[in-house]
Amino acid sequence: MYCIREVKCYEKPMNDHAPPPCAGLRIGDAAPDFEARSTIGPVRLSAFRGRWLVLFSHPADFTPVCTTEFVALAREAAAFEQRGCALMALSVDSLFSHFAWLRLIRDRFGIEVRFPIVEDPTLVIGRAYGMVSPADSDSATVRTTFFIDPAGTIRAMNCYPANLGRSVPEMLRILDGLQAIDAAGGLAPANWQPGDALLEPATHSLDEVFAAPEASDWFLRAACTPGQETR
Ligand code: BEZ
């Protein structure tokens, strides 16, 4: 059932003792397609084309930090939905482990995790996405998050260690930033938040550099976010 339909080739290790390489996925790459069992039934990544998708791995079910992440994500599921974004989780644990964990989360925290959690016992998906740390001897996936746009392109990704939980507000901010950039064609500066102005790309014209009133005006210039005032 676990079928990677489009995976990048792994580089050959330098020698027998070298750690296996990560998949080497980069921003701008097509997200490798796969089909797998999940808590909502069989899922295929390419079936999510046309909407945003946050695909993320976690080290293991029934662990403290992962439990807090799933509770936090389930509580904000509507916020992802409002942004036209689906959530999909993945770990090495079996489907029945996922079920038992979600039942515990429902009973203990009063929240139902309704987004799919994929089982990846052979790690064929985790390895294709570089979710398995080459330095670790165990098979747990690290906290890798991929932000995949409606065309199936990886637009942002990040990786946290097992002992540090992700920030759901930051996941939403990344999504908001990518969607604002796509809508307005600008650049999101440091600490950008929805409603803040975007920046215009720097000019490529030397005449405009010399004509700019101030020395920074040719590369540091605010552009209005559609529907919002420039700050
Ligand atoms: C956790 O989610 O708490 C966790 C998972 C794997 C290793 C360490 C911590």
mmCIF file of all heavy atoms in Angstrom, residues 7 9 23 34 77 95 117 120 150 159 212 219 223:
data_model
loop_
_atom_site.group_PDB
_atom_site.id
_atom_site.type_symbol
_atom_site.label_atom_id
_atom_site.label_comp_id
_atom_site.label_asym_id
_atom_site.label_seq_id
_atom_site.Cartn_x
_atom_site.Cartn_y
_atom_site.Cartn_z
ATOM 1 N N VAL A 7 9.947 9.756 -6.550
ATOM 2 C CA VAL A 7 10.943 10.045 -5.513
ATOM 3 C C VAL A 7 12.235 10.463 -6.169
ATOM 4 O O VAL A 7 12.588 9.979 -7.240
ATOM 5 C CB VAL A 7 11.286 8.816 -4.637
ATOM 6 C CG1 VAL A 7 10.944 9.048 -3.219
ATOM 7 C CG2 VAL A 7 10.673 7.564 -5.144
ATOM 8 N N CYS A 9 16.238 10.506 -6.625
ATOM 9 C CA CYS A 9 17.243 9.464 -6.423
ATOM 10 C C CYS A 9 18.113 9.813 -5.222
ATOM 11 O O CYS A 9 18.471 10.959 -5.044
ATOM 12 C CB CYS A 9 18.139 9.356 -7.655
ATOM 13 S SG CYS A 9 17.276 8.643 -9.030
ATOM 14 N N ALA A 23 16.881 12.817 1.777
ATOM 15 C CA ALA A 23 16.335 12.858 0.427
ATOM 16 C C ALA A 23 16.820 14.074 -0.341
ATOM 17 O O ALA A 23 16.827 14.064 -1.566
ATOM 18 C CB ALA A 23 14.819 12.861 0.495
ATOM 19 N N PHE A 34 2.746 9.997 -2.926
ATOM 20 C CA PHE A 34 2.673 8.683 -2.274
ATOM 21 C C PHE A 34 1.220 8.363 -1.977
ATOM 22 O O PHE A 34 0.345 9.237 -1.992
ATOM 23 C CB PHE A 34 3.497 8.651 -0.976
ATOM 24 C CG PHE A 34 3.034 9.615 0.087
ATOM 25 C CD1 PHE A 34 1.977 9.311 0.934
ATOM 26 C CD2 PHE A 34 3.668 10.836 0.238
ATOM 27 C CE1 PHE A 34 1.549 10.195 1.915
ATOM 28 C CE2 PHE A 34 3.239 11.741 1.215
ATOM 29 C CZ PHE A 34 2.190 11.417 2.049
ATOM 30 N N ALA A 77 -7.321 23.506 13.957
ATOM 31 C CA ALA A 77 -7.622 22.915 12.642
ATOM 32 C C ALA A 77 -8.493 23.840 11.794
ATOM 33 O O ALA A 77 -8.294 23.963 10.577
ATOM 34 C CB ALA A 77 -8.303 21.558 12.826
ATOM 35 N N LEU A 95 -1.132 2.072 12.054
ATOM 36 C CA LEU A 95 -2.455 2.683 12.028
ATOM 37 C C LEU A 95 -3.176 2.468 13.358
ATOM 38 O O LEU A 95 -3.828 3.374 13.881
ATOM 39 C CB LEU A 95 -3.264 2.064 10.878
ATOM 40 C CG LEU A 95 -4.663 2.619 10.666
ATOM 41 C CD1 LEU A 95 -4.637 4.106 10.356
ATOM 42 C CD2 LEU A 95 -5.366 1.857 9.548
ATOM 43 N N ILE A 117 -3.527 10.926 9.859
ATOM 44 C CA ILE A 117 -2.172 10.548 10.291
ATOM 45 C C ILE A 117 -1.804 9.290 9.515
ATOM 46 O O ILE A 117 -2.467 8.244 9.621
ATOM 47 C CB ILE A 117 -2.087 10.268 11.799
ATOM 48 C CG1 ILE A 117 -2.713 11.416 12.592
ATOM 49 C CG2 ILE A 117 -0.625 10.078 12.217
ATOM 50 C CD1 ILE A 117 -2.634 11.220 14.098
ATOM 51 N N ASP A 120 3.702 4.826 8.379
ATOM 52 C CA ASP A 120 4.841 4.662 7.469
ATOM 53 C C ASP A 120 5.839 3.678 8.087
ATOM 54 O O ASP A 120 6.989 4.026 8.361
ATOM 55 C CB ASP A 120 5.482 6.040 7.239
ATOM 56 C CG ASP A 120 6.590 6.011 6.191
ATOM 57 O OD1 ASP A 120 6.564 5.119 5.312
ATOM 58 O OD2 ASP A 120 7.477 6.885 6.259
ATOM 59 N N PRO A 150 -0.784 24.715 -3.779
ATOM 60 C CA PRO A 150 -1.827 23.995 -4.540
ATOM 61 C C PRO A 150 -1.314 23.325 -5.813
ATOM 62 O O PRO A 150 -1.972 22.422 -6.344
ATOM 63 C CB PRO A 150 -2.845 25.102 -4.870
ATOM 64 C CG PRO A 150 -2.674 26.107 -3.761
ATOM 65 C CD PRO A 150 -1.205 26.106 -3.474
ATOM 66 N N CYS A 159 12.596 21.941 10.298
ATOM 67 C CA CYS A 159 12.935 20.705 10.991
ATOM 68 C C CYS A 159 13.284 21.026 12.444
ATOM 69 O O CYS A 159 14.127 21.892 12.690
ATOM 70 C CB CYS A 159 14.137 20.093 10.264
ATOM 71 S SG CYS A 159 14.518 18.456 10.798
ATOM 72 N N ALA A 212 17.034 57.457 -6.572
ATOM 73 C CA ALA A 212 16.292 57.262 -5.314
ATOM 74 C C ALA A 212 16.585 58.414 -4.348
ATOM 75 O O ALA A 212 17.750 58.814 -4.201
ATOM 76 C CB ALA A 212 16.682 55.927 -4.683
ATOM 77 N N PHE A 219 16.244 49.688 -2.551
ATOM 78 C CA PHE A 219 16.131 48.255 -2.222
ATOM 79 C C PHE A 219 15.264 47.993 -1.000
ATOM 80 O O PHE A 219 14.853 46.856 -0.772
ATOM 81 C CB PHE A 219 17.515 47.602 -2.037
ATOM 82 C CG PHE A 219 18.243 47.987 -0.780
ATOM 83 C CD1 PHE A 219 18.110 47.222 0.371
ATOM 84 C CD2 PHE A 219 19.055 49.101 -0.748
ATOM 85 C CE1 PHE A 219 18.787 47.559 1.536
ATOM 86 C CE2 PHE A 219 19.731 49.456 0.411
ATOM 87 C CZ PHE A 219 19.598 48.693 1.550
ATOM 88 N N ALA A 223 5.618 47.926 0.120
ATOM 89 C CA ALA A 223 4.510 47.842 -0.825
ATOM 90 C C ALA A 223 3.278 47.518 -0.003
ATOM 91 O O ALA A 223 3.366 46.891 1.046
ATOM 92 C CB ALA A 223 4.765 46.735 -1.845
#
